[in-house]
């Protein structure tokens, strides 16, 4: 379920929402499918029971069912997992956790593997930006946004305590216990505490072929140094001060140790990576929202984030006999937003965000940079029975400071956005939509200051996004209950693309504004719902993506008009689910066409396409007033050791078994 901003209630009330609750006047919570159809920019979401039923262990597994999404996965449970949307790269994809963006100034890439599915109510992906204009300026400042919304406590009448305990186990010695406890302190305050532990040896078998065409000899090996252990703890205090005021404070802690498996090597199976990575993340964030009167609302959000990263490689041939790098980054962030409704159909928002980031390391002669960011946005929205129009103008000011060496350039830029959706017929839920967005990506600390590679003279990547599409849904009073269809064509133009490029030799590289990329594509999705009996449903869904992402840097280059690395031309997913009152069966699959590892699309750089098929069975029992859920999953049922990144094989067939107790 997705929550709509208060200024959207006029249109939403016409659509028979699933539930309505009193909160800061009225906020309507309605079907995510309705949101998907009416959105001016492509919106995809998975929520509620669907998150439990699809075959997913981590958020990256769930995102594979979204069109236009490419997951870069280095294999195994503990492998780094980043998201690229419409070939723009992980740095252009923001991740929001309960309405506040997660930031990594060092790399610009968010490892979504550190967040749990068990604690989520909704995963949503907006291309461009959301139609909800009452949000922080930072959520306007990216090409796409992944929104992770955690569960909020709900209580029955006269109930003060409830929660969930779960234990999951499976192949490769997977152990994943989790819990969540909700407690109502009084009518105003309620709290939630959740946590989980996950560990796995990750020593899955794979077939090592001794030629690229896989026609010569091969052997069966086991993945090494692919183990992972991580702990997540999270606590939230919710406050409903009145019908016009609410707020929350959340504290999050994550601690992980993992091995970094090396690339598979022909005829040298005894050699393997010994690299280790320790990752700690702690943040506290809070928000407060108040409805001053019928026209004006104010919202403030704040966050402190501390992250440490330790990397060790004991096999490096140097004086010390190993390499150990330690990085610590901190962030202080504050956002203030004002929403003003001129009348019921027209509203404006002004948001101002300030953040301070720094990075420290144990490396000698490191720049130790600080960055101050100030973002201001003015956004507006108009809605009636036939039109939904949004627009915004974002101003970004970035200032860097360093202790040693040359600092990066300061940046100021205006970034416009406009979108609209038209419903031409009152009787049909058919919408045509369009959006344009100009956005830029400031170089990260690694881009600017990484030793022997960073380039402080880098310019930001500049991106123009164009999207046009249509959406359609219809409901039936028969066994065929609903059809939901979306199709979008888009073009992304990237200038000053930041790439790593060799200088004197293969051991000396630098970051350069070298590239121009033009991306043309089509995304489509179809969902069909069948109501077979009163409490029995058949759900069928599919997505398809076509992406032609070409290097347009220079006609004189050999890679001109070649597909950019690790971007499949075609990809998609499908799912079928049978849902009975106490039993569910789901089949899902996702597939990808071939990709290339380098800029030049030669056969020796080609990575073959793949398909991954999964099934799950779940059964529910009611024990007195509590509920027990049993879930059995088989992933990659055809046992295909495909590769997303060359020489990093993914696990073959595996099994998972989980037991949930809700009290």
């Amino acid at each position: 379920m997705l929550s709509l901003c208060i200024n959207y209630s006029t249109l939403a009330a016409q659509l028979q929402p699933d539930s309505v609750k009193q909160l800061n006047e009225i906020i309507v919570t309605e079907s995510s499918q309705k949101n998907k159809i009416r959105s001016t920019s492509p919106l995809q979401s998975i929520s509620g029971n669907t998150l439990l039923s699809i075959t997913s262990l981590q958020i990256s597994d769930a995102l594979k069912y979204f069109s236009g999404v490419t997951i870069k996965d280095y294999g195994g449970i503990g492998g780094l997992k980043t998201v690229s949307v419409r070939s723009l790269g992980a740095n252009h994809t923001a991740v929001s956790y309960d309405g506040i963006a997660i930031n990594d100034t060092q790399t610009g890439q968010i490892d979504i593997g550190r967040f749990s599915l068990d604690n989520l109510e909704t995963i949503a992906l907006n291309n461009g930006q959301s139609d909800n204009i009452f949000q922080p300026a930072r959520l306007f400042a990216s090409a796409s946004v992944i929104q992770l919304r955690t569960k909020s406590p709900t209580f029955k009448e006269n109930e003060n305590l409830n929660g969930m305990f779960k234990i999951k186990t499976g192949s490769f010695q997977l152990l994943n216990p989790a819990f969540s406890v909700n407690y109502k302190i009084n009518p105003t305050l309620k709290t939630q505490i959740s946590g989980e532990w996950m560990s796995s040896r990750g020593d899955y078998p794979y077939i090592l072929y001794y030629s690229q065409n896989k026609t010569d000899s091969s052997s069966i090996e086991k993945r090494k140094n692919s183990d992972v252990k991580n702990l997540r703890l999270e606590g939230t205090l919710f406050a409903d001060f009145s019908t016009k005021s609410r707020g929350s404070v959340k504290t999050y802690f994550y601690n992980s140790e993992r091995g970094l498996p090396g690339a598979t090597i022909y005829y040298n199976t005894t050699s393997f990576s010994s690299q280790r990575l320790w990752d700690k993340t702690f943040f506290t964030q809070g928000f407060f929202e108040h409805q001053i009167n019928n026209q004006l609302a104010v919202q403030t959000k704040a966050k402190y984030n501390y992250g440490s990263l330790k990397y060790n490689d004991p096999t490096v041939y140097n004086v010390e006999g190993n390499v150990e790098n330690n990085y610590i980054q901190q962030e202080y962030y504050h956002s203030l937003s004002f929403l003003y409704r001129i009348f019921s159909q027209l509203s404006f928002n002004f948001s101002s965000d300030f953040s301070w980031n720094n990075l420290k390391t144990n490396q000698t002669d490191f720049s130790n940079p600080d960055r101050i960011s100030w973002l201001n946005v003015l956004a507006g929205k108009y809605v009636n029975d036939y039109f939904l129009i949004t627009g915004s103008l974002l101003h970004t000011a970035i200032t860097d400071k360093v202790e040693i060496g040359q600092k990066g350039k300061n940046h100021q830029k205006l970034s416009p956005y406009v979108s609209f959706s038209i419903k031409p017929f009152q009787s049909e839920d058919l919408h045509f939509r369009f959006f344009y967005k100009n956005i830029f990506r400031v170089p990260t600390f690694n881009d600017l200051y990484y030793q022997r590679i960073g380039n402080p003279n880098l310019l930001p990547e500049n991106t123009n996004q164009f999207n046009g599409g249509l959406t359609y849904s219809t409901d039936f009073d028969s066994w065929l209950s609903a059809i939901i269809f979306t199709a979008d064509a888009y073009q992304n133009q990237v200038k000053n693309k930041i790439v790593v490029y060799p200088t004197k030799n293969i051991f000396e590289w630098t970051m350069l504004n070298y590239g121009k990329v033009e991306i043309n594509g089509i995304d489509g999705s179809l969902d069909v719902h069948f109501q077979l009996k009163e409490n029995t449903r058949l759900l069928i869904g599919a997505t398809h993506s076509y992406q032609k992402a070409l290097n347009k840097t220079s006609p004189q280059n050999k890679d001109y008009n070649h597909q950019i690395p690790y971007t499949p031309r075609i990809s998609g997913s499908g799912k079928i689910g049978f849902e009975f009152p106490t039993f569910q069966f789901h089949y899902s699959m996702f597939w990808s066409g071939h990709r290339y590892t380098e800029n030049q699309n030669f056969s020796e750089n080609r990575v073959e396409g793949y398909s991954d098929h999964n099934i799950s069975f779940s059964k529910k029992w009611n024990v007195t007033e509590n509920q027990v859920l049993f879930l059995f999953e088989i992933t990659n049922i055809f046992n295909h050791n495909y590769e997303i990144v060359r020489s990093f094989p993914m696990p073959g067939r595996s099994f998972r078994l989980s037991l949930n107790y809700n009290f």
Side-chain angles (χ1 to χ4, degrees):
M1 310 298 294
L2 294 176
S3 293
L4 295 182
C5 178
I6 185 171
N7 61 313
Y8 208 177
S9 58
T10 303
L11 180 61
Q14 303 171 3
L15 296 170
Q16 298 185 2
D18 293 337
S19 63
V20 179
K21 64 179 180 179
Q22 189 76 18
L23 183 63
N24 295 357
E25 212 172 50
I26 293 179
I27 288 182
V28 178
T29 300
E30 62 165 3
S31 166
S32 59
Q33 295 290 6
K34 292 294 184 183
N35 257 338
K36 176 180 176 180
I37 292 300
R38 194 175 52 255
S39 175
T40 61
S41 61
L43 168 64
Q44 303 174 76
S45 64
I46 301 176
S47 60
N49 292 329
T50 306
L51 281 174
L52 294 175
S53 60
I54 61 175
T55 309
S56 299
L57 178 66
Q58 297 173 303
I59 293 173
S60 58
D61 299 324
L63 290 172
K64 293 175 183 177
Y65 298 101
F66 289 166
S67 60
V69 170
T70 302
I71 305 292
K72 202 166 187 180
D73 192 330
Y74 290 85
I77 295 173
L80 178 68
K81 296 167 177 62
T82 58
V83 182
S84 173
V85 180
R86 292 185 169 181
S87 303
L88 290 175
N91 299 75
H92 284 279
T93 305
V95 179
S96 164
Y97 199 65
D98 283 337
I100 298 179
I102 301 163
N103 193 29
D104 188 317
T105 315
Q106 180 183 358
T107 67
Q109 302 182 8
I110 306 301
D111 181 7
I112 56 176
R114 71 178 61 164
F115 299 99
S116 171
L117 275 175
D118 292 316
N119 199 39
L120 290 184
E121 177 63 31
T122 303
I123 301 174
L125 170 64
N126 279 103
N127 292 107
Q129 62 193 43
S130 169
D131 289 333
N132 174 20
I133 63 172
F134 194 26
Q135 60 181 356
R138 186 180 278 183
L139 296 183
F140 292 81
S142 60
S144 59
V145 181
I146 297 171
Q147 300 182 53
L148 307 179
R149 180 69 60 180
T150 60
K151 297 176 181 177
S152 298
T154 58
F155 299 92
K156 300 176 183 177
E157 188 175 357
N158 299 322
E159 182 183 55
N160 294 321
L161 180 69
N162 60 42
M164 175 275 295
F165 292 102
K166 184 205 77 170
I167 181 71
K168 178 176 287 188
T169 186
S171 302
F172 323 123
Q173 298 189 19
L174 171 67
L175 180 61
N176 182 206
F179 74 93
S180 178
V181 178
N182 306 314
Y183 178 66
K184 182 192 289 185
I185 301 173
N186 55 47
T188 299
L189 299 175
K190 51 189 176 182
T191 186
Q192 179 186 79
I193 299 175
S194 66
E196 72 168 338
W197 165 267
M198 186 172 68
S199 64
S200 173
R201 286 184 57 179
D203 55 346
Y204 52 89
Y206 67 96
I207 300 176
L208 179 62
Y209 294 96
Y210 294 101
S211 68
Q212 186 175 338
N213 56 21
K214 299 183 179 181
T215 58
D216 296 334
S217 60
S218 63
S219 61
I220 298 177
E221 308 295 337
K222 274 196 173 183
R223 207 70 169 111
K224 299 177 181 179
N225 198 44
S226 188
D227 61 295
V228 60
K229 297 177 183 178
N230 62 52
L231 171 69
R232 178 190 61 85
L233 295 172
E234 191 170 335
T236 310
L237 178 66
F238 301 86
D240 289 325
F241 300 105
S242 67
T243 58
K244 294 185 177 182
S245 300
R246 64 187 181 117
S248 71
V249 177
K250 179 187 295 289
T251 298
Y252 173 98
F253 175 76
Y254 174 83
N255 187 20
S256 171
E257 178 188 353
R258 70 186 83 172
L260 300 179
T264 56
I265 303 172
Y266 301 153
Y267 301 106
N268 191 10
T269 59
T270 59
S271 294
F272 63 94
S273 172
S274 299
Q275 300 170 4
R276 307 291 295 177
L277 191 69
W278 292 263
D279 180 12
K280 289 184 181 180
T281 300
F282 169 85
F283 66 74
T284 295
Q285 65 182 43
F287 99 98
F288 174 76
E289 181 179 307
H290 178 64
Q291 185 76 29
I292 298 174
N293 53 43
N294 290 335
Q295 290 183 297
L296 184 62
V298 61
Q299 181 184 93
T300 183
K301 297 183 178 183
K303 180 177 183 178
Y304 168 74
N305 182 84
Y306 173 92
S308 70
L309 194 69
K310 176 183 175 181
Y311 166 81
N312 180 266
D313 186 350
T315 63
V316 174
Y317 298 106
N318 58 12
V319 176
E320 293 80 12
N322 73 89
V323 167
E324 182 174 304
N325 293 334
N326 294 278
Y327 300 92
I328 293 177
Q329 60 173 304
Q330 295 184 84
E331 178 183 47
Y332 295 89
Y333 167 81
H334 180 258
S335 174
L336 184 63
S337 304
F338 296 91
L339 178 71
Y340 182 70
R341 292 184 297 167
I342 297 179
F343 50 89
S344 62
Q345 295 175 321
L346 179 64
S347 58
F348 289 92
N349 172 69
F350 174 76
S351 295
S352 183
D353 290 16
F354 175 86
S355 63
W356 174 79
N357 300 82
N358 74 341
L359 178 66
K360 305 291 184 181
T361 179
N362 65 334
Q363 300 177 39
T364 58
D365 299 326
F366 186 71
S367 299
N368 293 326
D370 287 12
R371 173 170 292 175
I372 293 176
S373 304
W374 189 23
L375 287 77
N376 296 281
V377 66
L378 179 63
K381 177 163 65 175
Y382 175 79
V383 58
N384 63 23
D385 291 343
Y386 297 97
F387 296 97
L388 173 58
I389 304 172
T390 67
S392 66
L393 185 63
L394 171 71
H395 175 259
T396 303
I398 306 290
T399 302
D400 281 9
K401 294 182 180 180
V402 296
E403 295 180 3
I404 300 173
Q406 181 183 351
K407 78 177 189 67
K409 297 179 179 180
N410 297 336
H411 301 285
Q412 289 201 51
K413 193 173 188 301
L414 289 173
S415 302
Y417 171 83
V418 63
S419 68
F420 62 84
S421 173
I422 301 173
K423 182 182 179 183
F425 309 109
Q426 179 68 35
S427 60
E428 296 291 336
D429 205 2
L430 171 68
H431 299 255
F432 295 93
R433 63 188 180 191
F434 170 84
F435 85 77
Y436 163 75
K437 184 170 189 174
N438 172 263
I439 202 64
F440 76 120
R441 176 179 85 80
V442 176
T444 67
F445 283 165
N446 277 2
D447 294 336
L448 296 169
Y449 308 116
Y450 201 87
Q451 287 186 326
R452 295 182 298 276
I453 294 180
N455 179 0
N457 295 312
L458 285 175
L459 299 173
E461 289 185 4
N462 188 68
T463 302
N464 287 305
Q465 299 173 268
F466 302 87
N467 184 96
L470 65 89
T471 65
Y472 177 74
S473 73
T474 185
D475 299 324
F476 301 95
D477 293 326
S478 66
W479 59 274
L480 176 60
S481 60
I483 297 175
I484 304 100
F485 172 76
T486 70
D488 289 272
Y490 62 89
Q491 182 180 84
N492 299 328
Q493 301 170 352
V494 184
K495 296 181 180 179
N496 293 326
K497 187 171 180 62
I498 299 172
V499 295
V500 183
Y501 194 76
T503 54
K504 298 178 181 178
N505 53 59
I506 62 172
F507 300 104
E508 296 186 35
W509 296 66
T510 188
M511 298 285 187
L512 295 176
N513 290 116
Y514 180 75
K516 294 181 182 178
V517 176
E518 182 176 289
I519 304 159
N520 295 283
I522 299 174
D523 289 341
S525 69
L526 176 66
D527 291 280
V528 183
H529 300 172
F530 299 91
Q531 194 72 40
L532 304 180
K533 293 182 180 180
E534 182 179 357
N535 294 316
T536 304
R537 296 198 304 167
L538 169 62
L539 309 177
I540 299 176
T543 66
H544 178 78
S545 295
Y546 172 83
Q547 300 181 80
K548 190 175 182 180
L550 303 182
N551 187 334
K552 295 286 187 177
T553 301
S554 173
Q556 285 72 43
N557 294 347
K558 293 182 179 180
D559 57 3
Y560 183 75
N561 265 344
H562 286 217
Q563 189 86 348
I564 62 177
Y566 287 109
T567 302
R569 188 69 61 92
I570 55 173
S571 60
S573 68
K575 57 183 184 290
I576 299 174
F578 287 93
E579 298 185 352
F580 302 91
T582 62
F583 173 78
Q584 293 187 10
F585 166 79
H586 287 265
Y587 160 81
S588 60
M589 63 89 70
F590 46 87
W591 54 274
S592 171
H594 66 267
R595 292 136 290 139
Y596 294 94
T597 62
E598 304 291 341
N599 290 324
Q600 297 180 357
N601 296 171
F602 299 150
S603 59
E604 57 267 28
N605 296 330
R606 177 174 168 137
V607 179
E608 293 303 323
Y610 64 87
S611 62
D612 193 327
H613 304 256
N614 313 276
I615 57 175
S616 67
F617 308 85
S618 63
K619 171 68 177 173
K620 293 188 295 187
W621 292 273
N622 290 322
V623 180
T624 61
E625 296 182 356
N626 303 323
Q627 187 181 87
V628 176
L629 173 66
F630 169 82
L631 178 65
F632 177 65
E633 303 166 280
I634 305 176
T635 64
N636 198 354
I637 58 179
F638 296 113
N639 199 32
H640 182 201
N641 282 123
Y642 60 88
E643 296 175 346
I644 296 179
V645 178
R646 170 169 284 181
S647 302
F648 288 83
M650 298 291 290
R653 186 186 303 113
S654 63
F655 304 88
R656 292 197 293 263
L657 181 67
S658 65
L659 193 65
N660 293 44
Y661 177 69
N662 297 280
F663 63 91

